[in-house]
Amino acid sequence: MLWMLALICSLPVTNRAQVEKTEPENSKFPMTQSPTYNLEKAEKLARKLRDKGIRDKAVLAAIARIPREAFVGEELAEMAYLDRPLPIGEGQTISQPYTVARQTELLELEPGDRVLEIGTGSGYQAAVLCEMGVEVYSIERYEELYQTAKETLNRLGYFPKLYHGDGYEGLPGEAPFDKILITAAPEVIPPKLKEQLRVGGRMVLPLGGRDRQQMTVVKRVSETRYSTSTHGDYIFVPMKKGTE
Ligand code: SAH
């Protein structure tokens, strides 16, 4: 079962041609194919997030294995391992690594969970989910971002199921989901996503107006009952209706 999920979502690090632990320091050969990545900076970023309070070891291990620079433009590669959000085009951002780690931790993932992400953006969060051994579905409203994220993820050996669409609709044909993660901010909990959560499942979302939102965990307690808890203030881009 688990090996099947690993195939659906990601290949083990050792099988990924483009990602290497180390890069020859004075290589005389210019890279003509996909770039290779040195993961030392990703490992350092994971240690920094641990120091900032991220406890889930599986989340930290996932962050240590992903070249975040692959998810931003070349001109931002230098800044890719700083703990800050960065622009990814269309006025959108790749979330701050701490926020990615915190949202993932709050999902309380179990191996094999079916997880729906709203807001693929750069694809970085989807890569983190793939590394955690879950089955990933992700929706992005901007076609351009959807395309770029797909290319980046596939090049790195991650194959989540990606959709260009409006996250407010969810994926009724694939529901129910064990976990739902929203990475843009809606003003109310999207009703269709609540319906697509399995009884016993969890949704993590930044909830609130434009200026600031509260990280919120929604648990589906029964067919009709939900409980919520809040986990600090954040600032996300708004969750917008429709597609572009
Ligand atoms: N998870 C992303 C973060 C991207 S920022 C990453 O790791 O890079 C939030 C993303 O949500 C943006 O790309 C934005 O376009 C997208 N978004 C906003 N409203 C949406 C909606 N209704 N449906 C799908 N995606 C949406």
PDB file of all heavy atoms in Angstrom, residues 49 53-60 98-109 125 128-129 132 181 202 204 217:
ATOM      1  N   LEU A  49      13.861  26.047  11.427  1.00  0.00           N
ATOM      2  CA  LEU A  49      12.429  25.925  11.731  1.00  0.00           C
ATOM      3  C   LEU A  49      12.210  25.137  13.029  1.00  0.00           C
ATOM      4  O   LEU A  49      11.303  25.428  13.791  1.00  0.00           O
ATOM      5  CB  LEU A  49      11.681  25.266  10.564  1.00  0.00           C
ATOM      6  CG  LEU A  49      11.727  26.044   9.253  1.00  0.00           C
ATOM      7  CD1 LEU A  49      10.959  25.309   8.164  1.00  0.00           C
ATOM      8  CD2 LEU A  49      11.169  27.458   9.424  1.00  0.00           C
ATOM      9  N   GLY A  53      10.387  26.403  16.656  1.00  0.00           N
ATOM     10  CA  GLY A  53       9.271  25.761  17.340  1.00  0.00           C
ATOM     11  C   GLY A  53       8.521  24.683  16.577  1.00  0.00           C
ATOM     12  O   GLY A  53       7.549  24.134  17.090  1.00  0.00           O
ATOM     13  N   ILE A  54       8.947  24.349  15.349  1.00  0.00           N
ATOM     14  CA  ILE A  54       8.283  23.249  14.637  1.00  0.00           C
ATOM     15  C   ILE A  54       8.740  21.934  15.264  1.00  0.00           C
ATOM     16  O   ILE A  54       9.932  21.656  15.359  1.00  0.00           O
ATOM     17  CB  ILE A  54       8.615  23.289  13.124  1.00  0.00           C
ATOM     18  CG1 ILE A  54       8.147  24.611  12.497  1.00  0.00           C
ATOM     19  CG2 ILE A  54       8.012  22.078  12.399  1.00  0.00           C
ATOM     20  CD1 ILE A  54       6.655  24.883  12.585  1.00  0.00           C
ATOM     21  N   ARG A  55       7.781  21.113  15.693  1.00  0.00           N
ATOM     22  CA  ARG A  55       8.102  19.895  16.444  1.00  0.00           C
ATOM     23  C   ARG A  55       8.039  18.626  15.595  1.00  0.00           C
ATOM     24  O   ARG A  55       8.706  17.638  15.905  1.00  0.00           O
ATOM     25  CB  ARG A  55       7.101  19.717  17.611  1.00  0.00           C
ATOM     26  CG  ARG A  55       7.202  20.753  18.688  1.00  0.00           C
ATOM     27  CD  ARG A  55       8.250  20.355  19.735  1.00  0.00           C
ATOM     28  NE  ARG A  55       8.680  21.544  20.459  1.00  0.00           N
ATOM     29  CZ  ARG A  55       9.716  22.309  20.104  1.00  0.00           C
ATOM     30  NH1 ARG A  55      10.452  22.013  19.059  1.00  0.00           N
ATOM     31  NH2 ARG A  55      10.042  23.376  20.797  1.00  0.00           N
ATOM     32  N   ASP A  56       7.196  18.632  14.575  1.00  0.00           N
ATOM     33  CA  ASP A  56       6.941  17.406  13.810  1.00  0.00           C
ATOM     34  C   ASP A  56       8.184  17.029  12.990  1.00  0.00           C
ATOM     35  O   ASP A  56       8.539  17.703  12.020  1.00  0.00           O
ATOM     36  CB  ASP A  56       5.725  17.653  12.907  1.00  0.00           C
ATOM     37  CG  ASP A  56       5.246  16.385  12.204  1.00  0.00           C
ATOM     38  OD1 ASP A  56       6.089  15.514  11.904  1.00  0.00           O
ATOM     39  OD2 ASP A  56       4.035  16.275  11.955  1.00  0.00           O
ATOM     40  N   LYS A  57       8.813  15.928  13.375  1.00  0.00           N
ATOM     41  CA  LYS A  57      10.084  15.526  12.735  1.00  0.00           C
ATOM     42  C   LYS A  57       9.898  15.181  11.261  1.00  0.00           C
ATOM     43  O   LYS A  57      10.783  15.430  10.443  1.00  0.00           O
ATOM     44  CB  LYS A  57      10.674  14.316  13.466  1.00  0.00           C
ATOM     45  CG  LYS A  57      11.185  14.662  14.842  1.00  0.00           C
ATOM     46  CD  LYS A  57      12.314  13.704  15.250  1.00  0.00           C
ATOM     47  CE  LYS A  57      12.991  14.144  16.531  1.00  0.00           C
ATOM     48  NZ  LYS A  57      12.133  13.969  17.721  1.00  0.00           N
ATOM     49  N   ALA A  58       8.746  14.613  10.917  1.00  0.00           N
ATOM     50  CA  ALA A  58       8.506  14.257   9.512  1.00  0.00           C
ATOM     51  C   ALA A  58       8.407  15.522   8.652  1.00  0.00           C
ATOM     52  O   ALA A  58       8.869  15.543   7.506  1.00  0.00           O
ATOM     53  CB  ALA A  58       7.229  13.422   9.391  1.00  0.00           C
ATOM     54  N   VAL A  59       7.834  16.579   9.205  1.00  0.00           N
ATOM     55  CA  VAL A  59       7.736  17.852   8.467  1.00  0.00           C
ATOM     56  C   VAL A  59       9.140  18.417   8.253  1.00  0.00           C
ATOM     57  O   VAL A  59       9.499  18.837   7.146  1.00  0.00           O
ATOM     58  CB  VAL A  59       6.861  18.867   9.240  1.00  0.00           C
ATOM     59  CG1 VAL A  59       6.900  20.236   8.555  1.00  0.00           C
ATOM     60  CG2 VAL A  59       5.422  18.383   9.349  1.00  0.00           C
ATOM     61  N   LEU A  60       9.942  18.398   9.305  1.00  0.00           N
ATOM     62  CA  LEU A  60      11.309  18.940   9.197  1.00  0.00           C
ATOM     63  C   LEU A  60      12.129  18.122   8.200  1.00  0.00           C
ATOM     64  O   LEU A  60      12.879  18.682   7.392  1.00  0.00           O
ATOM     65  CB  LEU A  60      11.978  18.943  10.580  1.00  0.00           C
ATOM     66  CG  LEU A  60      11.335  19.906  11.600  1.00  0.00           C
ATOM     67  CD1 LEU A  60      11.910  19.671  12.993  1.00  0.00           C
ATOM     68  CD2 LEU A  60      11.513  21.364  11.180  1.00  0.00           C
ATOM     69  N   TYR A  98       8.260  28.802   7.518  1.00  0.00           N
ATOM     70  CA  TYR A  98       7.694  28.517   8.839  1.00  0.00           C
ATOM     71  C   TYR A  98       6.195  28.253   8.717  1.00  0.00           C
ATOM     72  O   TYR A  98       5.655  27.335   9.356  1.00  0.00           O
ATOM     73  CB  TYR A  98       7.937  29.681   9.821  1.00  0.00           C
ATOM     74  CG  TYR A  98       7.282  29.418  11.156  1.00  0.00           C
ATOM     75  CD1 TYR A  98       7.913  28.628  12.117  1.00  0.00           C
ATOM     76  CD2 TYR A  98       6.000  29.894  11.440  1.00  0.00           C
ATOM     77  CE1 TYR A  98       7.287  28.335  13.325  1.00  0.00           C
ATOM     78  CE2 TYR A  98       5.369  29.614  12.632  1.00  0.00           C
ATOM     79  CZ  TYR A  98       6.013  28.839  13.576  1.00  0.00           C
ATOM     80  OH  TYR A  98       5.394  28.536  14.762  1.00  0.00           O
ATOM     81  N   THR A  99       5.523  29.049   7.899  1.00  0.00           N
ATOM     82  CA  THR A  99       4.075  28.911   7.734  1.00  0.00           C
ATOM     83  C   THR A  99       3.738  27.578   7.068  1.00  0.00           C
ATOM     84  O   THR A  99       2.793  26.885   7.481  1.00  0.00           O
ATOM     85  CB  THR A  99       3.530  30.091   6.896  1.00  0.00           C
ATOM     86  OG1 THR A  99       3.940  31.299   7.522  1.00  0.00           O
ATOM     87  CG2 THR A  99       2.030  30.053   6.788  1.00  0.00           C
ATOM     88  N   VAL A 100       4.511  27.207   6.058  1.00  0.00           N
ATOM     89  CA  VAL A 100       4.307  25.913   5.390  1.00  0.00           C
ATOM     90  C   VAL A 100       4.444  24.786   6.419  1.00  0.00           C
ATOM     91  O   VAL A 100       3.605  23.877   6.508  1.00  0.00           O
ATOM     92  CB  VAL A 100       5.341  25.705   4.252  1.00  0.00           C
ATOM     93  CG1 VAL A 100       5.278  24.290   3.694  1.00  0.00           C
ATOM     94  CG2 VAL A 100       5.114  26.732   3.136  1.00  0.00           C
ATOM     95  N   ALA A 101       5.510  24.875   7.215  1.00  0.00           N
ATOM     96  CA  ALA A 101       5.782  23.827   8.212  1.00  0.00           C
ATOM     97  C   ALA A 101       4.665  23.773   9.256  1.00  0.00           C
ATOM     98  O   ALA A 101       4.188  22.697   9.619  1.00  0.00           O
ATOM     99  CB  ALA A 101       7.127  24.090   8.883  1.00  0.00           C
ATOM    100  N   ARG A 102       4.221  24.958   9.707  1.00  0.00           N
ATOM    101  CA  ARG A 102       3.204  25.015  10.753  1.00  0.00           C
ATOM    102  C   ARG A 102       1.864  24.465  10.254  1.00  0.00           C
ATOM    103  O   ARG A 102       1.200  23.683  10.934  1.00  0.00           O
ATOM    104  CB  ARG A 102       3.051  26.470  11.227  1.00  0.00           C
ATOM    105  CG  ARG A 102       2.142  26.648  12.400  1.00  0.00           C
ATOM    106  CD  ARG A 102       2.747  26.062  13.677  1.00  0.00           C
ATOM    107  NE  ARG A 102       1.788  26.090  14.771  1.00  0.00           N
ATOM    108  CZ  ARG A 102       1.406  25.026  15.473  1.00  0.00           C
ATOM    109  NH1 ARG A 102       1.936  23.837  15.237  1.00  0.00           N
ATOM    110  NH2 ARG A 102       0.528  25.127  16.432  1.00  0.00           N
ATOM    111  N   GLN A 103       1.491  24.867   9.035  1.00  0.00           N
ATOM    112  CA  GLN A 103       0.217  24.363   8.488  1.00  0.00           C
ATOM    113  C   GLN A 103       0.278  22.845   8.311  1.00  0.00           C
ATOM    114  O   GLN A 103      -0.684  22.134   8.599  1.00  0.00           O
ATOM    115  CB  GLN A 103      -0.098  25.024   7.142  1.00  0.00           C
ATOM    116  CG  GLN A 103      -0.612  26.449   7.265  1.00  0.00           C
ATOM    117  CD  GLN A 103      -1.371  26.900   6.012  1.00  0.00           C
ATOM    118  OE1 GLN A 103      -0.770  27.115   4.975  1.00  0.00           O
ATOM    119  NE2 GLN A 103      -2.678  27.038   6.114  1.00  0.00           N
ATOM    120  N   THR A 104       1.427  22.355   7.857  1.00  0.00           N
ATOM    121  CA  THR A 104       1.564  20.908   7.629  1.00  0.00           C
ATOM    122  C   THR A 104       1.492  20.159   8.959  1.00  0.00           C
ATOM    123  O   THR A 104       0.824  19.123   9.076  1.00  0.00           O
ATOM    124  CB  THR A 104       2.891  20.595   6.909  1.00  0.00           C
ATOM    125  OG1 THR A 104       3.035  21.475   5.796  1.00  0.00           O
ATOM    126  CG2 THR A 104       2.929  19.163   6.419  1.00  0.00           C
ATOM    127  N   GLU A 105       2.159  20.718   9.971  1.00  0.00           N
ATOM    128  CA  GLU A 105       2.148  20.103  11.303  1.00  0.00           C
ATOM    129  C   GLU A 105       0.716  20.029  11.845  1.00  0.00           C
ATOM    130  O   GLU A 105       0.292  19.012  12.400  1.00  0.00           O
ATOM    131  CB  GLU A 105       3.040  20.974  12.204  1.00  0.00           C
ATOM    132  CG  GLU A 105       3.282  20.499  13.587  1.00  0.00           C
ATOM    133  CD  GLU A 105       4.376  21.337  14.263  1.00  0.00           C
ATOM    134  OE1 GLU A 105       4.140  22.521  14.566  1.00  0.00           O
ATOM    135  OE2 GLU A 105       5.463  20.802  14.493  1.00  0.00           O
ATOM    136  N   LEU A 106      -0.034  21.123  11.639  1.00  0.00           N
ATOM    137  CA  LEU A 106      -1.408  21.173  12.169  1.00  0.00           C
ATOM    138  C   LEU A 106      -2.345  20.178  11.473  1.00  0.00           C
ATOM    139  O   LEU A 106      -3.374  19.808  12.025  1.00  0.00           O
ATOM    140  CB  LEU A 106      -1.975  22.594  12.048  1.00  0.00           C
ATOM    141  CG  LEU A 106      -1.414  23.617  13.042  1.00  0.00           C
ATOM    142  CD1 LEU A 106      -1.855  25.036  12.665  1.00  0.00           C
ATOM    143  CD2 LEU A 106      -1.847  23.302  14.476  1.00  0.00           C
ATOM    144  N   LEU A 107      -1.971  19.727  10.279  1.00  0.00           N
ATOM    145  CA  LEU A 107      -2.811  18.751   9.572  1.00  0.00           C
ATOM    146  C   LEU A 107      -2.795  17.384  10.258  1.00  0.00           C
ATOM    147  O   LEU A 107      -3.686  16.567  10.060  1.00  0.00           O
ATOM    148  CB  LEU A 107      -2.322  18.566   8.135  1.00  0.00           C
ATOM    149  CG  LEU A 107      -2.738  19.596   7.088  1.00  0.00           C
ATOM    150  CD1 LEU A 107      -2.065  19.263   5.760  1.00  0.00           C
ATOM    151  CD2 LEU A 107      -4.251  19.648   6.918  1.00  0.00           C
ATOM    152  N   GLU A 108      -1.732  17.122  11.056  1.00  0.00           N
ATOM    153  CA  GLU A 108      -1.568  15.811  11.713  1.00  0.00           C
ATOM    154  C   GLU A 108      -1.740  14.675  10.706  1.00  0.00           C
ATOM    155  O   GLU A 108      -2.618  13.821  10.821  1.00  0.00           O
ATOM    156  CB  GLU A 108      -2.527  15.675  12.897  1.00  0.00           C
ATOM    157  CG  GLU A 108      -2.224  16.694  13.984  1.00  0.00           C
ATOM    158  CD  GLU A 108      -3.055  16.507  15.243  1.00  0.00           C
ATOM    159  OE1 GLU A 108      -3.826  15.542  15.339  1.00  0.00           O
ATOM    160  OE2 GLU A 108      -2.902  17.364  16.153  1.00  0.00           O
ATOM    161  N   LEU A 109      -0.876  14.691   9.697  1.00  0.00           N
ATOM    162  CA  LEU A 109      -0.976  13.716   8.605  1.00  0.00           C
ATOM    163  C   LEU A 109      -0.695  12.297   9.069  1.00  0.00           C
ATOM    164  O   LEU A 109       0.160  12.072   9.922  1.00  0.00           O
ATOM    165  CB  LEU A 109       0.022  14.087   7.505  1.00  0.00           C
ATOM    166  CG  LEU A 109      -0.235  15.411   6.795  1.00  0.00           C
ATOM    167  CD1 LEU A 109       0.922  15.745   5.857  1.00  0.00           C
ATOM    168  CD2 LEU A 109      -1.547  15.375   6.034  1.00  0.00           C
ATOM    169  N   GLN A 125       4.510  23.719  -1.282  1.00  0.00           N
ATOM    170  CA  GLN A 125       3.739  23.038  -0.234  1.00  0.00           C
ATOM    171  C   GLN A 125       3.303  21.647  -0.701  1.00  0.00           C
ATOM    172  O   GLN A 125       3.330  20.685   0.077  1.00  0.00           O
ATOM    173  CB  GLN A 125       2.519  23.889   0.140  1.00  0.00           C
ATOM    174  CG  GLN A 125       1.507  23.210   1.033  1.00  0.00           C
ATOM    175  CD  GLN A 125       1.931  23.126   2.482  1.00  0.00           C
ATOM    176  OE1 GLN A 125       2.027  24.135   3.180  1.00  0.00           O
ATOM    177  NE2 GLN A 125       2.206  21.913   2.966  1.00  0.00           N
ATOM    178  N   VAL A 128       6.107  19.319  -0.190  1.00  0.00           N
ATOM    179  CA  VAL A 128       6.241  18.932   1.224  1.00  0.00           C
ATOM    180  C   VAL A 128       5.246  17.812   1.537  1.00  0.00           C
ATOM    181  O   VAL A 128       5.595  16.809   2.167  1.00  0.00           O
ATOM    182  CB  VAL A 128       6.017  20.150   2.165  1.00  0.00           C
ATOM    183  CG1 VAL A 128       5.932  19.717   3.620  1.00  0.00           C
ATOM    184  CG2 VAL A 128       7.128  21.187   1.977  1.00  0.00           C
ATOM    185  N   LEU A 129       4.018  17.968   1.056  1.00  0.00           N
ATOM    186  CA  LEU A 129       2.997  16.936   1.312  1.00  0.00           C
ATOM    187  C   LEU A 129       3.403  15.616   0.656  1.00  0.00           C
ATOM    188  O   LEU A 129       3.270  14.550   1.269  1.00  0.00           O
ATOM    189  CB  LEU A 129       1.633  17.402   0.792  1.00  0.00           C
ATOM    190  CG  LEU A 129       1.037  18.631   1.506  1.00  0.00           C
ATOM    191  CD1 LEU A 129      -0.212  19.112   0.771  1.00  0.00           C
ATOM    192  CD2 LEU A 129       0.709  18.319   2.964  1.00  0.00           C
ATOM    193  N   MET A 132       5.763  13.681   2.577  1.00  0.00           N
ATOM    194  CA  MET A 132       5.203  13.102   3.803  1.00  0.00           C
ATOM    195  C   MET A 132       4.454  11.789   3.535  1.00  0.00           C
ATOM    196  O   MET A 132       3.851  11.218   4.444  1.00  0.00           O
ATOM    197  CB  MET A 132       4.233  14.099   4.455  1.00  0.00           C
ATOM    198  CG  MET A 132       4.824  15.465   4.705  1.00  0.00           C
ATOM    199  SD  MET A 132       5.585  15.724   6.300  1.00  0.00           S
ATOM    200  CE  MET A 132       4.346  15.247   7.466  1.00  0.00           C
ATOM    201  N   LEU A 181      -6.123  21.468   3.151  1.00  0.00           N
ATOM    202  CA  LEU A 181      -5.214  22.557   3.531  1.00  0.00           C
ATOM    203  C   LEU A 181      -5.470  23.730   2.593  1.00  0.00           C
ATOM    204  O   LEU A 181      -5.355  23.589   1.369  1.00  0.00           O
ATOM    205  CB  LEU A 181      -3.773  22.054   3.351  1.00  0.00           C
ATOM    206  CG  LEU A 181      -2.649  23.075   3.481  1.00  0.00           C
ATOM    207  CD1 LEU A 181      -2.676  23.726   4.843  1.00  0.00           C
ATOM    208  CD2 LEU A 181      -1.303  22.384   3.264  1.00  0.00           C
ATOM    209  N   ARG A 202      -9.639  16.685   9.166  1.00  0.00           N
ATOM    210  CA  ARG A 202      -9.226  18.027   9.620  1.00  0.00           C
ATOM    211  C   ARG A 202      -8.981  18.939   8.425  1.00  0.00           C
ATOM    212  O   ARG A 202      -8.380  18.519   7.440  1.00  0.00           O
ATOM    213  CB  ARG A 202      -7.881  17.962  10.350  1.00  0.00           C
ATOM    214  CG  ARG A 202      -7.880  17.300  11.679  1.00  0.00           C
ATOM    215  CD  ARG A 202      -6.449  16.962  12.059  1.00  0.00           C
ATOM    216  NE  ARG A 202      -5.733  18.101  12.614  1.00  0.00           N
ATOM    217  CZ  ARG A 202      -5.807  18.503  13.865  1.00  0.00           C
ATOM    218  NH1 ARG A 202      -6.594  17.852  14.705  1.00  0.00           N
ATOM    219  NH2 ARG A 202      -5.122  19.536  14.285  1.00  0.00           N
ATOM    220  N   VAL A 204      -7.154  22.745   7.652  1.00  0.00           N
ATOM    221  CA  VAL A 204      -6.326  23.822   8.215  1.00  0.00           C
ATOM    222  C   VAL A 204      -6.401  25.002   7.260  1.00  0.00           C
ATOM    223  O   VAL A 204      -6.149  24.840   6.058  1.00  0.00           O
ATOM    224  CB  VAL A 204      -4.859  23.360   8.393  1.00  0.00           C
ATOM    225  CG1 VAL A 204      -3.970  24.522   8.826  1.00  0.00           C
ATOM    226  CG2 VAL A 204      -4.782  22.211   9.395  1.00  0.00           C
ATOM    227  N   VAL A 217      -8.058  25.435  12.750  1.00  0.00           N
ATOM    228  CA  VAL A 217      -8.212  24.001  12.475  1.00  0.00           C
ATOM    229  C   VAL A 217      -9.689  23.663  12.644  1.00  0.00           C
ATOM    230  O   VAL A 217     -10.277  23.952  13.687  1.00  0.00           O
ATOM    231  CB  VAL A 217      -7.359  23.135  13.424  1.00  0.00           C
ATOM    232  CG1 VAL A 217      -7.630  21.648  13.173  1.00  0.00           C
ATOM    233  CG2 VAL A 217      -5.872  23.427  13.245  1.00  0.00           C
TER     234      VAL A 217
END
